[in-house]
Amino acid sequence: MEVKGKLVDFLNIESGISKSEKGWQKQTCIIDTGGEFNNLIAVSAFGEDKIKALNKLEVGMEVKILCNVYSREYKGKYYHNIDGYHFSIMGNEVVAEPVSDDLPF
């Protein structure tokens, strides 16, 4: 899934220890999609590398975030997560160069 909009806030980094006794970190950002209703989306970055990529962005920037969206059941209720894995500034995406048709043979 792709989320586009204006970065409006960063939440504090959260950390903890998993059941397998491994440390984890997560930071969440808030994106305003500009929609008329339900326009704010919270996207989380898990792990040091993704948090570093997220923190290259600044509040007020127009951004594009590629994410995985999933739900988990806990005690009969479903909880949704939106985990970002690629963070970029709108307009700064790398575009592949077109292949030239003027071959010499």
Side-chain angles (χ1 to χ4, degrees):
M1 178 178 169
E2 183 178 273
V3 174
K4 292 180 180 180
K6 184 177 186 177
L7 179 61
V8 295
D9 199 8
F10 289 102
L11 303 184
N12 292 331
I13 294 177
E14 300 174 46
S15 61
I17 305 293
S18 68
K19 290 180 184 177
S20 62
E21 299 185 12
K22 293 182 180 178
W24 59 267
Q25 286 187 323
K26 154 181 126 164
Q27 185 170 24
T28 301
C29 67
I30 309 299
I31 306 298
D32 183 346
T33 63
E36 186 175 352
F37 301 105
N38 302 319
N39 58 321
L40 297 179
I41 296 177
V43 179
S44 298
F46 274 94
E48 189 176 330
D49 292 341
K50 291 178 186 148
I51 291 172
K52 283 181 183 178
L54 172 61
N55 283 301
K56 290 181 181 178
L57 306 177
E58 297 176 7
V59 171
M61 288 181 165
E62 291 292 326
V63 298
K64 178 174 90 170
I65 303 175
L66 301 179
C67 345
N68 291 320
V69 178
Y70 62 95
S71 301
R72 289 184 287 156
E73 184 269 338
Y74 179 71
K75 295 186 179 183
K77 292 187 177 187
Y78 283 85
Y79 298 88
H80 310 291
N81 289 5
I82 303 175
D83 293 340
Y85 60 86
H86 180 78
F87 306 87
S88 61
I89 301 167
M90 291 285 287
N92 285 356
E93 294 84 14
V94 176
V95 178
E97 292 293 322
V99 176
S100 174
D101 287 339
D102 57 336
L103 299 174
F105 48 92

